[in-house]
Amino acid sequence: MAELATIARPYAEALFKASGTDRAALAEQVQALADVAADAQLLHFADDPRVESAQVVELIGSVVKTPLSDAAKNLLGAVIDNGRLPALPEIAAMFHALVNASSGVSDATIHSAFAIEPAQLDDVVSTLEKRFKRKLNAHVVIEPELIGGIRVVVGDEVLDTSVRARLEQMRVALTA
């Protein structure tokens, strides 16, 4: 079987070209569909030859909590009709990347040892936007093993100011 990225790319690009101005809302809808489509029981149900594609569309539509636009419904129908339901999470990821690239925004994952208050997060994000020279959509992940500080991942760039990283640097320096 071809890699999921190879299968997903044409779907994501077609959806991006066909989508209107509210691509962020469509990205949320496609992600909701992808979350449902990742379920193993649903994939097993969809693979059953006795089940029609309309039944799968109806089932997924009933499980997704957000109302779906026509573009999202059309994508879901096309994916199911072509037997590409397992590729839907990858399609969602690629579509999200296309939306971010078109708007000049990047996703940032901030790993922190402790919870960050909203006001502090705003300050951190504004500082990081200056550092990375682009607008960021920040998502915070709590990792107590960092001890203190933060570790930021933006695409393939990493900024690690955690206590754990500094201790590791000191260990390397002392043993060299």
Side-chain angles (χ1 to χ4, degrees):
M1 185 175 141
E3 285 193 37
L4 286 180
T6 305
I7 294 169
R9 185 172 295 108
Y11 288 98
E13 290 174 352
L15 182 63
F16 184 77
K17 289 177 185 174
S19 63
T21 57
D22 196 13
R23 291 180 172 147
L26 183 57
E28 289 177 18
Q29 294 171 18
V30 173
Q31 185 58 52
L33 290 173
D35 292 342
V36 172
D39 183 60
Q41 290 179 335
L42 176 71
L43 292 174
H44 182 68
F45 175 75
D47 284 341
D48 190 334
R50 298 172 293 182
V51 175
E52 296 180 12
S53 59
Q55 291 174 303
V56 179
V57 170
E58 183 180 327
L59 176 65
I60 293 175
S62 68
V63 173
V64 174
K65 295 186 181 6
T66 59
L68 299 176
S69 66
D70 290 338
K73 290 177 187 175
N74 290 340
L75 172 70
L76 180 61
V79 167
I80 291 171
D81 289 342
N82 294 319
R84 303 298 193 195
L85 191 58
L88 196 53
E90 186 67 24
I91 294 169
M94 286 188 170
F95 182 71
H96 183 74
L98 289 170
V99 170
N100 279 352
S102 73
S103 62
V105 175
S106 295
D107 289 328
T109 304
I110 301 173
H111 302 268
S112 174
F114 305 100
I116 301 175
E117 297 296 323
Q120 291 174 326
L121 182 60
D122 291 342
D123 291 342
V124 169
V125 169
S126 66
T127 302
L128 291 172
E129 286 174 345
K130 291 175 188 171
R131 164 71 170 80
F132 288 102
K133 296 181 176 83
R134 58 184 168 250
K135 184 119 177 75
L136 299 175
N137 285 334
H139 172 69
V140 178
V141 176
I142 306 299
E143 284 187 32
E145 57 271 5
L146 292 179
I147 303 170
I150 61 172
R151 180 175 179 264
V152 182
V153 179
V154 179
D156 60 352
E157 298 177 74
V158 178
L159 174 65
D160 196 345
T161 61
S162 67
V163 173
R164 182 178 73 183
R166 291 181 185 176
L167 289 172
E168 181 63 24
Q169 289 171 350
M170 290 187 338
R171 186 189 66 78
V172 168
L174 290 172
T175 58

